[in-house]
Amino acid sequence: MILARVIGNVVATQKNERYHGARIMIVQPINLDGSDRGDPILALDAVDAGEGDRVLVVQEGWSASVAATGRPGAAIDATIVGVVDTIDYES
Amino acid sequence: MRLARVIGRVVATAKNDSLVGRKLLCIQPITLDGRSMGKPMIAVDSVGAGAGEIVFWCRGREASYPFLPDVVPSDCTIVGIVDEVHVKGRDQAR
């Protein structure tokens, strides 16, 4: 998984039917120290993450689809699977 | 998934059978405020996207799932058309 910060969301009415009812968030991948790491991506929210939250994002389709829709086989390649409280690490 | 703008179309008559009848669109990945980012790619459309529209696309094996049970050889499929982009403290990509 990667760490990321939720920085916004996307509204899309015309979309693949497996996306209906899902919240499409914009997340900025971050390093352990919170600094930005690469470009923002879209990820479906499965844990009611809010803007500004640090989150865990899974970027593999089978897991992303199961986490976001309850079953595999959806065209989803990133889903938020956790809201981070603390990160303890030794750099 | 990532954002992109539809900038064109590809027509290929001789192609994999399961691509027949599928729209092949040229997409330009964009930043949240709409600037081009990286190189254009060819995506299979699954939601009726048109030129100039901002879309989001899915990569990898999952890109073939919207067409099941047809097995479409795609690693980049447009799965949504963006109405609004809301970013904390930044303007929108319209």
Side-chain angles (χ1 to χ4, degrees):
Chain A
M1 268 89 73
I2 60 167
L3 283 169
R5 185 178 308 108
V6 179
I7 61 170
N9 69 295
V10 161
V11 175
T13 40
Q14 209 172 326
K15 58 199 171 195
N16 180 283
E17 85 277 355
R18 293 286 299 272
Y19 279 72
H20 285 299
R23 291 171 68 216
I24 306 167
M25 313 305 287
I26 304 172
V27 298
Q28 166 60 59
I30 55 173
N31 293 303
L32 290 175
D33 62 9
S35 54
D36 285 6
R37 168 182 170 165
D39 302 315
I41 60 169
L42 305 187
L44 294 193
D45 173 35
V47 290
D48 287 338
E51 213 160 280
D53 283 349
R54 283 179 312 175
V55 291
L56 268 178
V57 177
V58 65
Q59 288 188 294
E60 182 279 324
W62 195 90
S63 312
S65 177
V66 168
T69 68
R71 55 190 171 84
I76 299 166
D77 63 25
T79 297
I80 298 170
V81 292
V83 177
V84 173
D85 299 322
T86 59
I87 305 171
D88 300 322
Y89 72 102
E90 282 164 32
S91 58
Chain B
M1 293 69 68
R2 292 169 190 268
L3 291 174
R5 177 177 291 116
V6 178
I7 58 172
R9 212 160 69 91
V10 165
V11 176
T13 41
K15 59 189 170 218
N16 180 289
D17 292 345
S18 55
L19 281 176
V20 171
R22 310 284 177 201
K23 239 181 2 180
L24 299 170
L25 296 177
C26 311
I27 60 170
Q28 168 60 61
I30 57 170
T31 62
L32 295 180
D33 44 26
R35 281 175 293 110
S36 296
M37 173 181 76
K39 299 182 179 57
M41 296 179 297
I42 307 307
V44 183
D45 175 40
S46 79
V47 284
E53 289 193 303
I54 291 183
V55 295
F56 58 91
W57 53 280
C58 173
R59 61 177 170 73
R61 185 167 56 111
E62 302 71 47
S64 61
Y65 289 164
F67 309 103
L68 290 177
D70 293 347
V71 179
V72 172
S74 171
D75 60 3
C76 176
T77 298
I78 295 169
V79 287
I81 299 173
V82 173
D83 299 326
E84 297 158 24
V85 175
H86 300 290
V87 179
K88 211 169 64 169
R90 287 197 228 169
D91 51 7
Q92 298 196 2
R94 287 308 300 158

CSV table of all heavy atoms in Angstrom, one decimal, chain A residues 15-79:
chain,number,residue,atom,x,y,z
A,15,LYS,N,-20.5,7.2,-15.6
A,15,LYS,CA,-19.3,6.4,-15.2
A,15,LYS,C,-19.7,4.9,-15.2
A,15,LYS,O,-20.9,4.6,-15.3
A,15,LYS,CB,-18.9,6.8,-13.8
A,15,LYS,CG,-19.9,6.6,-12.7
A,15,LYS,CD,-19.5,7.5,-11.5
A,15,LYS,CE,-20.7,7.4,-10.5
A,15,LYS,NZ,-20.6,8.5,-9.5
A,16,ASN,N,-18.7,4.1,-15.1
A,16,ASN,CA,-18.9,2.6,-15.1
A,16,ASN,C,-19.8,2.3,-13.9
A,16,ASN,O,-19.7,2.9,-12.8
A,16,ASN,CB,-17.5,2.0,-14.8
A,16,ASN,CG,-17.5,0.5,-14.8
A,16,ASN,OD1,-17.9,0.0,-13.7
A,16,ASN,ND2,-17.2,-0.2,-15.8
A,17,GLU,N,-20.7,1.4,-14.2
A,17,GLU,CA,-21.8,1.1,-13.2
A,17,GLU,C,-21.3,0.7,-11.9
A,17,GLU,O,-21.9,0.9,-10.8
A,17,GLU,CB,-22.9,0.2,-13.8
A,17,GLU,CG,-22.6,-1.3,-13.6
A,17,GLU,CD,-21.7,-1.9,-14.7
A,17,GLU,OE1,-21.4,-1.1,-15.6
A,17,GLU,OE2,-21.3,-3.0,-14.6
A,18,ARG,N,-20.1,0.1,-11.8
A,18,ARG,CA,-19.6,-0.4,-10.5
A,18,ARG,C,-19.2,0.8,-9.7
A,18,ARG,O,-18.9,0.6,-8.5
A,18,ARG,CB,-18.4,-1.4,-10.7
A,18,ARG,CG,-18.9,-2.7,-11.4
A,18,ARG,CD,-19.6,-3.6,-10.5
A,18,ARG,NE,-18.8,-4.0,-9.3
A,18,ARG,CZ,-18.0,-5.1,-9.3
A,18,ARG,NH1,-17.9,-5.8,-10.4
A,18,ARG,NH2,-17.4,-5.4,-8.2
A,19,TYR,N,-19.1,2.0,-10.2
A,19,TYR,CA,-18.7,3.2,-9.5
A,19,TYR,C,-19.9,3.8,-8.8
A,19,TYR,O,-19.7,4.8,-8.0
A,19,TYR,CB,-18.0,4.2,-10.4
A,19,TYR,CG,-16.6,3.9,-10.7
A,19,TYR,CD1,-16.2,2.8,-11.5
A,19,TYR,CD2,-15.5,4.7,-10.2
A,19,TYR,CE1,-14.9,2.5,-11.8
A,19,TYR,CE2,-14.2,4.4,-10.5
A,19,TYR,CZ,-13.9,3.3,-11.3
A,19,TYR,OH,-12.6,3.1,-11.6
A,20,HIS,N,-21.1,3.4,-9.2
A,20,HIS,CA,-22.3,4.1,-8.6
A,20,HIS,C,-22.3,4.0,-7.1
A,20,HIS,O,-22.1,2.9,-6.6
A,20,HIS,CB,-23.5,3.6,-9.3
A,20,HIS,CG,-23.7,4.2,-10.7
A,20,HIS,ND1,-23.7,5.5,-11.0
A,20,HIS,CD2,-23.6,3.6,-11.9
A,20,HIS,CE1,-23.8,5.7,-12.3
A,20,HIS,NE2,-23.7,4.5,-12.9
A,21,GLY,N,-22.5,5.1,-6.4
A,21,GLY,CA,-22.6,5.1,-5.0
A,21,GLY,C,-21.3,5.2,-4.3
A,21,GLY,O,-21.2,5.3,-3.1
A,22,ALA,N,-20.2,5.2,-5.1
A,22,ALA,CA,-18.8,5.3,-4.5
A,22,ALA,C,-18.4,6.7,-4.5
A,22,ALA,O,-18.7,7.5,-5.4
A,22,ALA,CB,-17.9,4.4,-5.4
A,23,ARG,N,-17.6,7.1,-3.5
A,23,ARG,CA,-17.0,8.4,-3.5
A,23,ARG,C,-15.6,8.4,-4.1
A,23,ARG,O,-14.8,7.6,-3.7
A,23,ARG,CB,-16.9,8.9,-2.0
A,23,ARG,CG,-18.2,9.1,-1.3
A,23,ARG,CD,-18.0,9.4,0.2
A,23,ARG,NE,-17.3,10.6,0.5
A,23,ARG,CZ,-16.4,10.8,1.4
A,23,ARG,NH1,-16.0,9.7,2.2
A,23,ARG,NH2,-15.8,11.9,1.6
A,24,ILE,N,-15.5,9.3,-5.1
A,24,ILE,CA,-14.2,9.3,-5.9
A,24,ILE,C,-13.3,10.4,-5.3
A,24,ILE,O,-13.6,11.6,-5.4
A,24,ILE,CB,-14.4,9.5,-7.4
A,24,ILE,CG1,-15.4,8.5,-7.9
A,24,ILE,CG2,-13.1,9.5,-8.1
A,24,ILE,CD1,-16.0,8.9,-9.3
A,25,MET,N,-12.3,10.0,-4.5
A,25,MET,CA,-11.5,11.0,-3.8
A,25,MET,C,-10.2,11.3,-4.7
A,25,MET,O,-9.8,10.4,-5.4
A,25,MET,CB,-11.1,10.5,-2.4
A,25,MET,CG,-12.2,10.0,-1.6
A,25,MET,SD,-13.6,11.1,-1.4
A,25,MET,CE,-12.9,12.2,-0.3
A,26,ILE,N,-9.7,12.5,-4.4
A,26,ILE,CA,-8.4,12.8,-5.0
A,26,ILE,C,-7.4,12.7,-3.8
A,26,ILE,O,-7.6,13.3,-2.8
A,26,ILE,CB,-8.3,14.2,-5.6
A,26,ILE,CG1,-9.4,14.4,-6.6
A,26,ILE,CG2,-6.9,14.5,-6.2
A,26,ILE,CD1,-9.6,15.8,-7.1
A,27,VAL,N,-6.3,11.9,-4.0
A,27,VAL,CA,-5.3,11.7,-3.0
A,27,VAL,C,-4.0,12.1,-3.5
A,27,VAL,O,-3.6,11.8,-4.6
A,27,VAL,CB,-5.4,10.3,-2.4
A,27,VAL,CG1,-6.7,9.9,-1.8
A,27,VAL,CG2,-5.0,9.2,-3.4
A,28,GLN,N,-3.2,12.7,-2.6
A,28,GLN,CA,-1.8,13.0,-3.0
A,28,GLN,C,-0.9,12.0,-2.2
A,28,GLN,O,-0.9,12.1,-1.0
A,28,GLN,CB,-1.5,14.5,-2.5
A,28,GLN,CG,0.0,14.8,-2.5
A,28,GLN,CD,0.7,14.7,-3.8
A,28,GLN,OE1,0.2,15.4,-4.8
A,28,GLN,NE2,1.7,13.8,-4.0
A,29,PRO,N,-0.2,11.1,-2.9
A,29,PRO,CA,0.7,10.2,-2.3
A,29,PRO,C,1.7,11.0,-1.5
A,29,PRO,O,2.2,12.1,-1.9
A,29,PRO,CB,1.3,9.4,-3.4
A,29,PRO,CG,0.3,9.5,-4.5
A,29,PRO,CD,-0.3,10.9,-4.4
A,30,ILE,N,2.1,10.5,-0.3
A,30,ILE,CA,3.1,11.2,0.6
A,30,ILE,C,4.1,10.2,1.1
A,30,ILE,O,3.9,9.0,1.2
A,30,ILE,CB,2.4,11.8,1.8
A,30,ILE,CG1,1.6,10.8,2.6
A,30,ILE,CG2,1.5,13.0,1.4
A,30,ILE,CD1,1.0,11.3,3.9
A,31,ASN,N,5.3,10.8,1.5
A,31,ASN,CA,6.3,10.0,2.1
A,31,ASN,C,5.9,9.8,3.6
A,31,ASN,O,5.0,10.5,4.1
A,31,ASN,CB,7.7,10.7,2.0
A,31,ASN,CG,8.1,10.8,0.6
A,31,ASN,OD1,8.2,9.7,-0.1
A,31,ASN,ND2,8.3,12.0,0.0
A,32,LEU,N,6.8,9.1,4.4
A,32,LEU,CA,6.5,8.8,5.8
A,32,LEU,C,6.4,10.2,6.5
A,32,LEU,O,5.7,10.3,7.5
A,32,LEU,CB,7.5,7.9,6.4
A,32,LEU,CG,7.5,6.5,5.9
A,32,LEU,CD1,8.6,5.7,6.5
A,32,LEU,CD2,6.1,5.8,6.3
A,33,ASP,N,7.3,11.1,6.1
A,33,ASP,CA,7.3,12.4,6.8
A,33,ASP,C,6.2,13.4,6.4
A,33,ASP,O,6.2,14.5,6.8
A,33,ASP,CB,8.7,13.1,6.7
A,33,ASP,CG,9.0,13.4,5.2
A,33,ASP,OD1,8.0,13.3,4.4
A,33,ASP,OD2,10.1,13.8,4.9
A,34,GLY,N,5.3,12.9,5.5
A,34,GLY,CA,4.2,13.7,5.1
A,34,GLY,C,4.5,14.6,3.8
A,34,GLY,O,3.6,15.2,3.3
A,35,SER,N,5.7,14.6,3.3
A,35,SER,CA,6.0,15.4,2.1
A,35,SER,C,5.4,14.7,0.9
A,35,SER,O,5.2,13.5,0.9
A,35,SER,CB,7.5,15.5,2.0
A,35,SER,OG,8.1,14.2,2.0
A,36,ASP,N,5.1,15.5,-0.1
A,36,ASP,CA,4.5,15.0,-1.3
A,36,ASP,C,5.4,14.0,-2.0
A,36,ASP,O,6.6,14.2,-2.0
A,36,ASP,CB,4.1,16.2,-2.3
A,36,ASP,CG,2.9,16.9,-1.8
A,36,ASP,OD1,2.4,16.6,-0.7
A,36,ASP,OD2,2.5,17.9,-2.5
A,37,ARG,N,4.8,13.0,-2.7
A,37,ARG,CA,5.6,12.0,-3.4
A,37,ARG,C,4.8,11.7,-4.7
A,37,ARG,O,3.9,11.0,-4.7
A,37,ARG,CB,5.6,10.8,-2.5
A,37,ARG,CG,6.2,9.5,-3.2
A,37,ARG,CD,6.1,8.4,-2.2
A,37,ARG,NE,6.4,7.1,-2.8
A,37,ARG,CZ,6.7,6.1,-2.0
A,37,ARG,NH1,6.8,6.2,-0.7
A,37,ARG,NH2,7.0,4.9,-2.6
A,38,GLY,N,5.2,12.3,-5.8
A,38,GLY,CA,4.6,12.0,-7.1
A,38,GLY,C,3.3,12.8,-7.3
A,38,GLY,O,3.0,13.7,-6.5
A,39,ASP,N,2.5,12.3,-8.3
A,39,ASP,CA,1.4,13.1,-8.7
A,39,ASP,C,0.1,12.6,-8.0
A,39,ASP,O,0.0,11.4,-7.6
A,39,ASP,CB,1.1,12.9,-10.2
A,39,ASP,CG,2.4,13.3,-11.0
A,39,ASP,OD1,2.9,14.4,-10.7
A,39,ASP,OD2,2.8,12.6,-11.9
A,40,PRO,N,-0.9,13.4,-7.8
A,40,PRO,CA,-2.2,13.0,-7.2
A,40,PRO,C,-2.8,11.9,-8.1
A,40,PRO,O,-2.6,11.9,-9.3
A,40,PRO,CB,-3.0,14.3,-7.2
A,40,PRO,CG,-2.1,15.4,-7.3
A,40,PRO,CD,-0.9,14.9,-8.1
A,41,ILE,N,-3.6,11.1,-7.5
A,41,ILE,CA,-4.4,10.0,-8.2
A,41,ILE,C,-5.8,10.0,-7.6
A,41,ILE,O,-6.1,10.7,-6.6
A,41,ILE,CB,-3.8,8.6,-8.0
A,41,ILE,CG1,-3.7,8.2,-6.6
A,41,ILE,CG2,-2.4,8.6,-8.7
A,41,ILE,CD1,-3.4,6.7,-6.4
A,42,LEU,N,-6.7,9.4,-8.3
A,42,LEU,CA,-8.0,9.2,-7.9
A,42,LEU,C,-8.1,7.8,-7.2
A,42,LEU,O,-7.6,6.8,-7.7
A,42,LEU,CB,-9.0,9.2,-9.0
A,42,LEU,CG,-9.0,10.5,-9.9
A,42,LEU,CD1,-10.2,10.4,-10.9
A,42,LEU,CD2,-9.0,11.8,-9.1
A,43,ALA,N,-8.9,7.8,-6.1
A,43,ALA,CA,-9.0,6.5,-5.3
A,43,ALA,C,-10.5,6.5,-4.8
A,43,ALA,O,-11.0,7.5,-4.3
A,43,ALA,CB,-8.0,6.4,-4.2
A,44,LEU,N,-11.1,5.3,-4.8
A,44,LEU,CA,-12.4,5.2,-4.3
A,44,LEU,C,-12.3,5.1,-2.8
A,44,LEU,O,-11.3,4.5,-2.2
A,44,LEU,CB,-13.2,4.0,-4.8
A,44,LEU,CG,-13.5,4.0,-6.3
A,44,LEU,CD1,-14.4,2.9,-6.7
A,44,LEU,CD2,-14.0,5.3,-6.7
A,45,ASP,N,-13.3,5.7,-2.0
A,45,ASP,CA,-13.2,5.7,-0.6
A,45,ASP,C,-14.1,4.6,0.0
A,45,ASP,O,-15.2,4.5,-0.4
A,45,ASP,CB,-13.7,7.0,-0.1
A,45,ASP,CG,-13.8,7.0,1.5
A,45,ASP,OD1,-13.0,6.4,2.1
A,45,ASP,OD2,-14.8,7.6,2.0
A,46,ALA,N,-13.4,3.7,0.8
A,46,ALA,CA,-14.2,2.6,1.4
A,46,ALA,C,-14.3,2.8,2.9
A,46,ALA,O,-14.8,1.9,3.6
A,46,ALA,CB,-13.5,1.3,1.0
A,47,VAL,N,-13.7,3.9,3.5
A,47,VAL,CA,-13.7,4.0,5.0
A,47,VAL,C,-14.1,5.4,5.4
A,47,VAL,O,-13.8,5.8,6.5
A,47,VAL,CB,-12.2,3.8,5.5
A,47,VAL,CG1,-11.8,2.3,5.3
A,47,VAL,CG2,-11.2,4.7,4.7
A,48,ASP,N,-14.9,6.1,4.6
A,48,ASP,CA,-15.4,7.4,5.0
A,48,ASP,C,-14.3,8.4,5.3
A,48,ASP,O,-14.3,9.1,6.3
A,48,ASP,CB,-16.4,7.4,6.1
A,48,ASP,CG,-17.7,6.8,5.7
A,48,ASP,OD1,-17.9,6.9,4.5
A,48,ASP,OD2,-18.5,6.2,6.5
A,49,ALA,N,-13.2,8.4,4.5
A,49,ALA,CA,-12.1,9.3,4.7
A,49,ALA,C,-12.6,10.7,4.4
A,49,ALA,O,-13.4,10.9,3.5
A,49,ALA,CB,-10.9,8.9,3.8
A,50,GLY,N,-12.0,11.7,5.1
A,50,GLY,CA,-12.4,13.1,4.8
A,50,GLY,C,-11.2,13.8,4.3
A,50,GLY,O,-10.0,13.4,4.3
A,51,GLU,N,-11.5,15.0,3.8
A,51,GLU,CA,-10.4,15.9,3.2
A,51,GLU,C,-9.4,16.2,4.3
A,51,GLU,O,-9.8,16.5,5.4
A,51,GLU,CB,-11.1,17.2,2.7
A,51,GLU,CG,-10.3,17.7,1.5
A,51,GLU,CD,-11.2,18.7,0.7
A,51,GLU,OE1,-12.1,18.3,-0.1
A,51,GLU,OE2,-11.0,19.9,1.0
A,52,GLY,N,-8.1,16.1,3.9
A,52,GLY,CA,-7.1,16.3,4.9
A,52,GLY,C,-6.6,15.1,5.6
A,52,GLY,O,-5.5,15.1,6.2
A,53,ASP,N,-7.4,14.0,5.6
A,53,ASP,CA,-7.0,12.8,6.3
A,53,ASP,C,-5.8,12.2,5.6
A,53,ASP,O,-5.6,12.2,4.4
A,53,ASP,CB,-8.1,11.7,6.2
A,53,ASP,CG,-9.2,12.0,7.2
A,53,ASP,OD1,-9.0,12.9,8.1
A,53,ASP,OD2,-10.3,11.4,7.1
A,54,ARG,N,-4.9,11.6,6.4
A,54,ARG,CA,-3.9,10.7,5.9
A,54,ARG,C,-4.5,9.3,5.8
A,54,ARG,O,-5.1,8.9,6.7
A,54,ARG,CB,-2.6,10.7,6.8
A,54,ARG,CG,-1.8,11.9,6.7
A,54,ARG,CD,-0.6,11.8,7.6
A,54,ARG,NE,-1.0,11.4,9.0
A,54,ARG,CZ,-0.1,11.2,10.0
A,54,ARG,NH1,1.2,11.3,9.8
A,54,ARG,NH2,-0.5,10.8,11.2
A,55,VAL,N,-4.3,8.7,4.6
A,55,VAL,CA,-5.0,7.4,4.4
A,55,VAL,C,-4.0,6.4,3.8
A,55,VAL,O,-2.9,6.7,3.3
A,55,VAL,CB,-6.1,7.6,3.4
A,55,VAL,CG1,-7.2,8.4,4.0
A,55,VAL,CG2,-5.7,8.3,2.1
A,56,LEU,N,-4.5,5.1,3.9
A,56,LEU,CA,-3.8,4.0,3.2
A,56,LEU,C,-4.5,3.7,1.9
A,56,LEU,O,-5.7,3.6,1.9
A,56,LEU,CB,-3.9,2.8,4.1
A,56,LEU,CG,-2.9,2.4,5.2
A,56,LEU,CD1,-3.3,1.2,6.0
A,56,LEU,CD2,-1.5,2.2,4.5
A,57,VAL,N,-3.8,3.6,0.8
A,57,VAL,CA,-4.4,3.3,-0.5
A,57,VAL,C,-3.8,2.0,-1.0
A,57,VAL,O,-2.6,1.9,-1.1
A,57,VAL,CB,-4.1,4.5,-1.4
A,57,VAL,CG1,-4.7,4.2,-2.8
A,57,VAL,CG2,-4.7,5.8,-0.9
A,58,VAL,N,-4.7,1.1,-1.5
A,58,VAL,CA,-4.3,-0.1,-2.1
A,58,VAL,C,-4.4,0.1,-3.6
A,58,VAL,O,-5.4,0.7,-4.1
A,58,VAL,CB,-5.1,-1.3,-1.7
A,58,VAL,CG1,-6.6,-1.2,-2.1
A,58,VAL,CG2,-4.5,-2.6,-2.2
A,59,GLN,N,-3.3,-0.2,-4.4
A,59,GLN,CA,-3.3,0.1,-5.8
A,59,GLN,C,-3.2,-1.2,-6.6
A,59,GLN,O,-2.4,-1.3,-7.5
A,59,GLN,CB,-2.1,1.0,-6.1
A,59,GLN,CG,-2.2,2.4,-5.6
A,59,GLN,CD,-1.1,3.2,-6.1
A,59,GLN,OE1,0.0,3.1,-5.7
A,59,GLN,NE2,-1.4,4.2,-7.0
A,60,GLU,N,-4.0,-2.2,-6.3
A,60,GLU,CA,-4.0,-3.4,-7.1
A,60,GLU,C,-5.5,-3.7,-7.3
A,60,GLU,O,-6.3,-3.7,-6.4
A,60,GLU,CB,-3.3,-4.5,-6.4
A,60,GLU,CG,-3.2,-5.8,-7.1
A,60,GLU,CD,-4.5,-6.6,-7.0
A,60,GLU,OE1,-5.1,-6.6,-5.9
A,60,GLU,OE2,-4.9,-7.2,-8.0
A,61,GLY,N,-5.8,-4.0,-8.6
A,61,GLY,CA,-7.2,-4.0,-8.9
A,61,GLY,C,-8.1,-5.0,-8.1
A,61,GLY,O,-9.2,-4.6,-7.7
A,62,TRP,N,-7.6,-6.2,-7.9
A,62,TRP,CA,-8.5,-7.2,-7.2
A,62,TRP,C,-8.8,-6.7,-5.8
A,62,TRP,O,-10.0,-6.6,-5.5
A,62,TRP,CB,-7.8,-8.5,-7.1
A,62,TRP,CG,-8.7,-9.7,-6.8
A,62,TRP,CD1,-9.4,-10.5,-7.7
A,62,TRP,CD2,-9.1,-10.1,-5.5
A,62,TRP,NE1,-10.2,-11.4,-7.0
A,62,TRP,CE2,-10.0,-11.2,-5.6
A,62,TRP,CE3,-8.7,-9.7,-4.2
A,62,TRP,CZ2,-10.6,-11.8,-4.5
A,62,TRP,CZ3,-9.3,-10.4,-3.1
A,62,TRP,CH2,-10.2,-11.4,-3.3
A,63,SER,N,-7.8,-6.2,-5.1
A,63,SER,CA,-8.1,-5.7,-3.8
A,63,SER,C,-8.9,-4.5,-3.8
A,63,SER,O,-9.8,-4.2,-3.0
A,63,SER,CB,-6.7,-5.5,-3.0
A,63,SER,OG,-5.9,-6.5,-3.2
A,64,ALA,N,-8.5,-3.6,-4.7
A,64,ALA,CA,-9.2,-2.3,-4.8
A,64,ALA,C,-10.7,-2.5,-5.1
A,64,ALA,O,-11.6,-1.9,-4.5
A,64,ALA,CB,-8.6,-1.4,-5.9
A,65,SER,N,-11.0,-3.4,-6.0
A,65,SER,CA,-12.4,-3.7,-6.3
A,65,SER,C,-13.2,-4.3,-5.2
A,65,SER,O,-14.3,-3.9,-4.8
A,65,SER,CB,-12.4,-4.6,-7.6
A,65,SER,OG,-13.8,-5.0,-7.9
A,66,VAL,N,-12.5,-5.3,-4.5
A,66,VAL,CA,-13.2,-5.9,-3.4
A,66,VAL,C,-13.4,-4.9,-2.2
A,66,VAL,O,-14.5,-4.8,-1.7
A,66,VAL,CB,-12.4,-7.1,-2.9
A,66,VAL,CG1,-12.9,-7.6,-1.5
A,66,VAL,CG2,-12.4,-8.2,-3.9
A,67,ALA,N,-12.4,-4.1,-2.0
A,67,ALA,CA,-12.6,-3.1,-0.9
A,67,ALA,C,-13.6,-2.1,-1.2
A,67,ALA,O,-14.4,-1.7,-0.3
A,67,ALA,CB,-11.2,-2.4,-0.6
A,68,ALA,N,-13.7,-1.7,-2.5
A,68,ALA,CA,-14.6,-0.6,-2.8
A,68,ALA,C,-16.0,-1.1,-3.1
A,68,ALA,O,-17.0,-0.4,-2.8
A,68,ALA,CB,-14.1,0.2,-4.0
A,69,THR,N,-16.2,-2.3,-3.6
A,69,THR,CA,-17.5,-2.7,-4.1
A,69,THR,C,-17.9,-4.0,-3.5
A,69,THR,O,-19.0,-4.5,-3.8
A,69,THR,CB,-17.5,-2.9,-5.6
A,69,THR,OG1,-16.7,-4.0,-6.0
A,69,THR,CG2,-17.0,-1.6,-6.3
A,70,GLY,N,-17.1,-4.6,-2.7
A,70,GLY,CA,-17.5,-5.9,-2.0
A,70,GLY,C,-17.2,-7.1,-2.8
A,70,GLY,O,-17.3,-8.2,-2.3
A,71,ARG,N,-16.8,-7.0,-4.1
A,71,ARG,CA,-16.5,-8.1,-4.9
A,71,ARG,C,-15.5,-7.7,-6.0
A,71,ARG,O,-15.4,-6.6,-6.4
A,71,ARG,CB,-17.8,-8.8,-5.5
A,71,ARG,CG,-18.6,-7.9,-6.3
A,71,ARG,CD,-20.0,-8.5,-6.7
A,71,ARG,NE,-20.9,-7.5,-7.2
A,71,ARG,CZ,-20.9,-7.2,-8.6
A,71,ARG,NH1,-20.1,-7.8,-9.4
A,71,ARG,NH2,-21.8,-6.3,-9.0
A,72,PRO,N,-14.7,-8.7,-6.5
A,72,PRO,CA,-13.7,-8.3,-7.5
A,72,PRO,C,-14.4,-8.1,-8.9
A,72,PRO,O,-15.6,-8.1,-9.0
A,72,PRO,CB,-12.9,-9.6,-7.6
A,72,PRO,CG,-13.7,-10.7,-7.1
A,72,PRO,CD,-14.7,-10.1,-6.1
A,73,GLY,N,-13.6,-7.7,-9.9
A,73,GLY,CA,-14.1,-7.6,-11.2
A,73,GLY,C,-14.5,-6.2,-11.6
A,73,GLY,O,-15.2,-6.1,-12.7
A,74,ALA,N,-14.2,-5.2,-10.8
A,74,ALA,CA,-14.6,-3.8,-11.3
A,74,ALA,C,-13.3,-3.1,-11.8
A,74,ALA,O,-12.2,-3.4,-11.4
A,74,ALA,CB,-15.2,-3.0,-10.1
A,75,ALA,N,-13.5,-2.2,-12.7
A,75,ALA,CA,-12.4,-1.5,-13.3
A,75,ALA,C,-12.0,-0.4,-12.3
A,75,ALA,O,-12.2,0.8,-12.6
A,75,ALA,CB,-12.8,-0.9,-14.6
A,76,ILE,N,-11.4,-0.8,-11.2
A,76,ILE,CA,-10.9,0.1,-10.2
A,76,ILE,C,-9.5,-0.2,-9.9
A,76,ILE,O,-9.2,-1.4,-9.7
A,76,ILE,CB,-11.8,0.0,-8.9
A,76,ILE,CG1,-13.3,0.3,-9.2
A,76,ILE,CG2,-11.2,0.8,-7.7
A,76,ILE,CD1,-14.2,-0.1,-8.1
A,77,ASP,N,-8.6,0.8,-9.9
A,77,ASP,CA,-7.2,0.4,-9.6
A,77,ASP,C,-6.6,1.0,-8.3
A,77,ASP,O,-5.4,0.9,-8.0
A,77,ASP,CB,-6.3,0.7,-10.8
A,77,ASP,CG,-6.2,2.1,-11.1
A,77,ASP,OD1,-6.4,3.0,-10.3
A,77,ASP,OD2,-6.0,2.5,-12.3
A,78,ALA,N,-7.5,1.8,-7.6
A,78,ALA,CA,-7.0,2.4,-6.3
A,78,ALA,C,-8.2,2.6,-5.4
A,78,ALA,O,-9.2,3.2,-5.8
A,78,ALA,CB,-6.3,3.7,-6.6
A,79,THR,N,-8.0,2.1,-4.1
A,79,THR,CA,-9.1,2.3,-3.1
A,79,THR,C,-8.4,2.7,-1.8
A,79,THR,O,-7.4,2.1,-1.4
A,79,THR,CB,-9.9,1.1,-3.0
A,79,THR,OG1,-10.6,0.8,-4.2
A,79,THR,CG2,-11.0,1.2,-1.9
